[in-house]
């Protein structure tokens, strides 16, 4: 079910898109969360959606960016930045100039440091509110957006935020549509100039492919050999569990209800 | 009567056979019951090794042949004494390490404990200049053992504006902490919501470049901070080695949790009151979601059925009323009462629910493996001796159908009362 959206004439939405990395092959692709963000923007009725990418224009990255154009766009704004540059100043300047109502980004990049800090830094610079981990935009009315935030364990939370705002999209947002080949070929890049700021710290760090993390060992701290043996050989024993025997069903149900209330799982 | 000793070979045989049902009676009759020594029929002293010695401190029977030590024979094997952990008090700290635990469900999660373990490593680096671990927690909680988790100072902010989703108010509180105590390190869990978000906001506000996805921290004397860390980057595909910054967002299992010492967990309060501010984000509360649509592996509250369930309609109704995701044991699935994707256990889904209610499940080892990470287990069962009862935090022995009915009635009653009051 598509969430109900009211018609918002002139709602300007900018989606920040980046170049993703296929988890198996490592090839450039549409970044998953960014593509979900584009899909979310497309589902907003009456919104004017702009795509914005900051980075260099190279052969490999162009194919990935055309993936976004294939989702029904004729144009993508490209802030040209050299490799290894800090894109935050340029993006902040571009967004400040364009002044959209809503900026949608993914949670974290699939290349580079991937710290997920960019939306937070932009929000801090622009002084806009930020909401993270979005599953859906329910509607925009009178400069206030109603959002659905994805919580762990499949839960959802409804939030209201005043626009302009930056939102990041969670993996729980609707899956992106397939990129169409024809529009992707026909789409054009509109190059923008921006300040270039080199990221010096990043160049100093040692970066290598991820190592498998060591598995944590179960350490048994026991004073004697007998305790160690018991810990190694023992069956799971509750110990401290409360057992109610010879109670009426009502009493049993009350005890269970009390525990459920304490854990706050009943709504 | 002659005073010839008469032997009864049968009784002697029973006396030697400890498995014989009449063994104890016969022993008492022969005068060998509690005595550890007696004169045998041929005039030889016989000893019963089971009747001598004493139970040592770790529950093993000891026979001291020197005769110097005489314990109480038959002292209960339950000699486990609650070990007092050494208590650590730091009165005059040189610096502080601030941790902001997630407190998912109102308690310190294992991720939080790992993080506090890491904070302790950073604080205890030099025995001359001791640092304190300060924990900042928001909203109401249910945790009682902050000290045993390794926390020296506890700042509990429980004002109404900190409740729910309030990142802006919490950020203001954290900046006040920064101004008041200027901690040497900030540590936050790099979790989906909560620490991961708050930490990034804090870093952006403080103008620090944080390390995110930190999974290893090592001492490095060459660096000014004294520590370097390895962090995950680029969608978990890169390891970045870098100096440890002031603000770090660490993954689970970044360090060992504290288990050997007990700390003070003294209450702290902010030196100045929080400035009132207008929040630009309104929390309208959680939205009810269809519990059957939630994946079993990440469901928070599972009502699981096994072989003991007879009234399936009642079970489904109870799950609906309680708002629980349905699970099942293998037997219930094999018998066709539940779908295969609902099976919990080694061959089905490994669940991580906070509350797991097992109805009529006796607890096969494969099933217990599947619910290893569940926090609270409630068992409803007829058999008081089954393995599920041993695992459960609360077990109710009785007819599951009637207990579920009573539970449904109670929940409905409570809801109606609430509605009437509102």
């Amino acid at each position: 079910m598509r969430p109900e959206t009211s018609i918002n004439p002139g709602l300007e939405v900018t989606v920040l898109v980046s170049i993703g990395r296929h988890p198996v092959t490592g090839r450039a692709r549409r970044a998953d969360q960014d593509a979900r963000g584009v899909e979310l923007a497309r589902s907003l009725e009456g919104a004017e959606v702009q795509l914005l990418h900051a980075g260099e224009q190279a052969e490999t990255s162009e194919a990935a960016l055309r993936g976004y154009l294939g989702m029904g766009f004729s144009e993508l704004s490209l802030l040209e930045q050299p490799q290894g540059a800090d894109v935050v100043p340029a993006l902040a300047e571009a967004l400040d100039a364009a002044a959209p109502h809503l900026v949608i980004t993914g949670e974290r990049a699939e290349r580079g440091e991937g710290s997920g800090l960019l939306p937070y830094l932009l929000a801090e610079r622009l002084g806009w509110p930020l909401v993270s981990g979005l599953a859906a935009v329910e509607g925009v009315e009178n400069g206030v957006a109603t959002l659905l935030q994805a919580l762990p364990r499949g839960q959802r939370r409804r939030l209201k935020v005043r626009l302009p705002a930056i939102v990041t999209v969670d993996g729980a947002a609707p899956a992106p549509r397939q990129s169409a080949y024809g529009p992707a070929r026909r789409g054009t890049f509109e190059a923008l100039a921006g300040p270039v700021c080199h990221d010096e710290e990043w160049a100093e760090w040692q970066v290598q492919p991820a190592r498998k993390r060591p598995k944590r060992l179960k350490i048994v701290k026991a004073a004697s050999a007998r305790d160690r043996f018991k810990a190694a050989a023992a069956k799971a024993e509750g110990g401290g569990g409360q057992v109610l025997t010879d109670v009426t069903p009502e009493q049993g149900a009350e005890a269970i209800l009390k525990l459920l209330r304490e854990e706050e799982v009943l709504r | 009567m002659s005073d010839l000793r008469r032997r009864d070979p049968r009784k002697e045989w029973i006396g030697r056979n400890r498995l014989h049902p009449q063994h104890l009676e016969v022993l008492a009759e022969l005068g060998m019951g509690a005595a550890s020594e007696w004169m045998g029929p041929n005039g030889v002293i016989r000893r019963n090794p089971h009747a001598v010695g004493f139970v040592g401190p770790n529950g093993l029977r000891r026979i001291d042949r020197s005769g110097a030590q005489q314990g109480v024979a038959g002292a209960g094997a339950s000699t486990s004494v609650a070990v007092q952990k050494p208590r650590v008090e730091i009165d005059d700290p040189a610096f502080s390490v601030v941790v902001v635990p997630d407190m998912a469900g109102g308690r310190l999660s294992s991720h939080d404990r790992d993080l506090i373990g890491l904070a302790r490593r950073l604080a205890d680096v030099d025995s001359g200049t001791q640092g304190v671990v300060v924990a900042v927690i928001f909203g109401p909680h249910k945790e009682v053992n902050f000290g045993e988790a390794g926390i020296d100072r506890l700042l509990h902010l429980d004002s109404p504006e900190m409740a729910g989703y309030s990142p802006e108010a919490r950020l203001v509180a954290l900046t006040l902490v920064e101004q008041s105590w200027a901690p040497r390190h900030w540590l936050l869990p790099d979790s989906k919501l909560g620490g991961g978000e708050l930490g990034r906001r804090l870093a952006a506000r403080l103008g620090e470049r944080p390390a995110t996805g930190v999974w290893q921290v090592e001492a490095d004397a060459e660096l000014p901070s004294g520590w370097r860390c390895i962090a995950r980057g680029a969608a978990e595909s890169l390891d970045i080695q870098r100096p440890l910054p002031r603000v770090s967002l660490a993954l689970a299992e970044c360090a060992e949790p504290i288990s050997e010492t007990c700390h003070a967990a003294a209450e702290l309060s902010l030196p100045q009151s929080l400035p009132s501010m207008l929040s630009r984000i309104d929390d309208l509360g959680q939205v009810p979601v269809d519990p059957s649509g939630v994946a079993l592996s990440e469901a928070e509250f599972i009502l699981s059925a096994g072989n003991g369930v007879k009234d399936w309609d009642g079970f489904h109704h109870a799950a609906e009323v309680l708002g629980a995701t349905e699970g099942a044991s293998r037997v219930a699935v094999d018998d066709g009462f539940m779908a295969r994707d609902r099976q919990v256990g080694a061959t089905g889904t490994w669940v991580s629910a906070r509350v797991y209610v097992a109805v009529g499940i006796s607890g096969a080892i494969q099933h217990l493996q599947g619910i290893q990470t569940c926090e609270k287990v409630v068992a409803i069962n007829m058999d008081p001796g089954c393995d599920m009862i041993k695992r459960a935090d609360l077990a109710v022995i009785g007819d599951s159908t009637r207990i579920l009915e009573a539970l449904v009635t109670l929940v409905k009653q409570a809801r109606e009362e609430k509605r009437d009051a509102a």
Side-chain angles (χ1 to χ4, degrees):
Chain A
M1 288 284 285
R2 182 186 283 193
E4 279 179 36
T5 49
S6 53
I7 297 168
N8 321 282
L11 177 76
E12 287 175 28
V13 180
T14 300
V15 187
L16 305 185
V17 295
S18 66
I19 295 159
R21 176 186 177 280
H22 192 279
V24 178
T25 61
R27 275 189 213 153
R29 61 160 191 180
R30 299 189 288 183
D32 177 59
Q33 287 174 336
D34 292 346
R36 281 173 199 271
V38 174
E39 182 64 43
L40 193 72
R42 284 264 102 164
S43 72
L44 288 172
E45 277 179 46
E48 294 170 25
V49 184
Q50 276 268 331
L51 299 182
L52 180 59
H53 171 73
E56 58 174 359
Q57 191 172 12
E59 196 114 332
T60 50
S61 62
E62 195 183 316
L65 290 176
R66 285 198 181 276
Y68 296 109
L69 286 172
M71 294 173 81
F73 293 90
S74 57
E75 192 178 79
L76 185 146
S77 307
L78 187 70
L79 265 172
E80 288 205 59
Q81 297 276 311
Q83 195 152 27
D86 183 5
V87 296
V88 174
L91 275 179
E93 198 166 281
L95 288 177
D96 210 16
H101 297 117
L102 193 64
V103 177
I104 302 179
T105 78
E107 283 207 314
R108 49 173 75 186
E110 296 179 7
R111 285 168 181 271
E113 192 185 349
S115 64
L117 268 170
L118 182 122
Y120 295 88
L121 292 172
L122 285 179
E124 195 65 34
R125 280 201 181 210
L126 299 169
W128 293 359
L130 179 141
V131 177
S132 67
L134 227 63
V137 176
E138 290 193 315
V140 183
E141 265 175 10
N142 308 328
V144 176
T146 313
L147 314 169
L148 217 51
Q149 191 182 36
L151 301 181
R153 300 182 176 279
Q155 303 295 315
R156 298 278 184 273
R157 179 157 55 195
R158 191 168 284 137
L159 301 170
K160 270 195 173 172
V161 65
R162 239 174 287 160
L163 301 181
I166 300 184
V167 295
T168 69
V169 173
D170 186 73
R177 65 189 69 184
Q178 199 174 352
S179 177
Y181 185 73
R185 298 303 320 159
R186 285 193 294 274
T188 53
F189 296 108
E190 184 202 359
L192 304 172
V196 173
C197 172
H198 200 67
D199 185 356
E200 280 157 14
E201 271 186 71
W202 168 254
E204 286 170 12
W205 298 338
Q206 282 180 42
V207 179
Q208 58 191 26
R211 221 165 5 123
K212 206 173 170 196
R213 286 183 64 183
K215 211 174 167 189
R216 176 181 274 179
L217 296 175
K218 192 179 154 199
I219 298 168
V220 178
K221 283 177 184 154
S224 67
R226 183 168 180 266
D227 290 348
R228 276 195 296 278
F229 177 74
K230 263 171 82 180
K235 269 172 85 174
E237 226 165 280
Q242 188 192 0
V243 182
L244 301 178
T245 40
D246 301 329
V247 290
T248 62
E250 284 73 26
Q251 285 168 333
E254 238 163 70
I256 295 172
L257 186 64
K258 189 165 156 258
L259 185 136
L260 297 183
R261 285 232 175 91
E262 274 171 14
E263 294 298 319
E264 292 169 11
V265 287
L266 283 184
R267 299 195 201 295
Chain B
M1 290 289 284
S2 74
D3 52 11
L4 265 178
R5 289 165 63 96
R6 308 296 297 187
R7 294 177 61 180
D8 183 345
R10 181 178 155 73
K11 278 194 177 154
E12 280 179 8
W13 173 73
I14 293 176
R16 287 196 301 275
N17 183 1
R18 279 185 290 132
L19 298 178
H20 197 280
Q22 290 169 325
H23 174 69
L24 289 177
E25 298 164 29
V26 170
L27 271 189
E29 204 176 308
L30 292 177
M32 295 156 41
S36 59
E37 284 183 13
W38 65 93
M39 182 70 78
N42 299 329
V44 181
I45 297 283
R46 315 294 309 206
R47 280 206 179 88
N48 177 10
H50 299 286
V52 296
F54 55 94
V55 176
N58 48 11
L60 283 186
R61 178 172 293 279
R62 295 290 182 214
I63 300 175
D64 185 1
R65 297 193 190 279
S66 72
Q69 202 177 7
Q70 285 298 315
V72 185
S78 60
T79 48
S80 62
V81 184
V83 183
Q84 277 283 320
K85 293 178 181 175
R87 197 175 168 80
V88 181
E89 305 250 6
I90 302 165
D91 297 324
D92 194 15
F95 62 94
S96 58
V97 179
V98 177
V99 180
V100 187
D102 266 349
M103 305 290 291
R107 295 198 185 86
L108 288 172
S109 63
S110 63
H111 192 173
D112 294 337
R113 287 176 195 275
D114 296 343
L115 210 67
I116 294 166
L118 179 60
R120 277 251 72 88
R121 272 183 63 199
L122 296 177
D124 296 342
V125 59
D126 185 3
S127 56
T129 52
Q130 266 277 356
V132 283
V133 174
V134 181
V136 183
I137 59 171
F138 300 101
H141 68 84
K142 286 179 270 183
E143 182 65 47
V144 282
N145 278 334
F146 283 111
E148 287 189 15
I151 294 170
D152 295 309
R153 307 273 192 274
L154 184 70
L155 177 62
H156 184 199
L157 299 167
D158 198 9
S159 53
E161 63 258 29
M162 300 290 172
Y165 182 69
S166 51
E168 294 180 319
R170 293 178 182 201
L171 181 59
V172 170
L174 291 187
T175 40
L176 262 183
V177 171
E178 165 78 16
Q179 286 165 16
S180 314
W181 293 295
R184 188 181 284 185
H185 293 284
W186 280 96
L187 290 178
L188 292 100
D190 198 354
S191 52
K192 188 109 190 67
L193 285 173
E197 185 187 346
L198 198 58
R200 289 185 173 88
R201 281 180 196 270
L202 178 73
R205 180 64 54 88
L206 300 183
E208 299 277 347
R209 186 166 184 175
T212 58
V214 173
W215 60 274
Q216 198 172 54
V217 175
E218 281 163 359
D220 188 345
E222 290 169 16
L223 293 172
S225 69
W227 298 93
R228 70 185 147 81
C229 64
I230 303 180
R232 280 277 143 98
E236 310 272 294
S237 65
L238 291 181
D239 269 345
I240 304 168
Q241 204 181 89
R242 53 181 289 188
L244 187 73
R246 270 192 71 212
V247 182
S248 315
L249 284 78
L251 296 175
E253 300 194 7
C254 54
E256 291 297 323
I258 300 295
S259 62
E260 285 176 342
T261 50
C262 179
H263 293 258
E267 287 277 340
L268 270 186
S269 54
L270 280 176
Q272 46 186 311
S273 59
L274 291 167
S276 65
M277 56 167 293
L278 198 63
S279 176
R280 294 171 295 181
I281 304 171
D282 276 348
D283 186 0
L284 302 185
Q286 282 205 15
V287 181
V289 289
D290 179 15
S292 59
V294 179
L296 198 56
S297 57
E298 60 168 20
E300 188 172 28
F301 177 25
I302 298 178
L303 187 70
S304 198
N307 200 23
V309 174
K310 297 285 172 278
D311 175 16
W312 284 95
D313 292 334
F315 171 78
H316 294 306
H317 180 61
E320 195 190 324
V321 170
L322 295 174
T325 308
E326 287 182 5
S329 74
R330 209 207 59 177
V331 185
V333 172
D334 281 357
D335 291 351
F337 292 114
M338 296 285 277
R340 181 61 72 186
D341 66 332
R342 295 281 130 193
Q343 184 183 333
V344 174
T347 37
T349 314
W350 291 57
V351 298
S352 59
R354 255 189 333 114
V355 179
Y356 184 84
V357 183
V359 185
I361 299 177
S362 59
I365 186 72
Q366 290 86 351
H367 192 85
L368 291 180
Q369 280 171 358
I371 60 168
Q372 250 170 8
T373 48
C374 291
E375 266 178 42
K376 292 270 175 189
V377 176
V378 180
I380 304 177
N381 212 310
M382 291 289 273
D383 174 16
C386 67
D387 285 347
M388 183 57 87
I389 304 277
K390 288 179 192 148
R391 164 72 176 83
D393 299 276
L394 171 67
V396 181
I397 312 294
D399 181 14
S400 63
T401 312
R402 292 178 54 202
I403 293 175
L404 279 185
E405 269 172 18
L407 187 59
V408 166
T409 323
L410 277 178
V411 170
K412 278 187 177 168
Q413 243 174 28
R415 289 215 177 120
E416 249 161 52
E417 277 167 24
K418 213 185 216 173
R419 206 171 303 144
D420 289 345

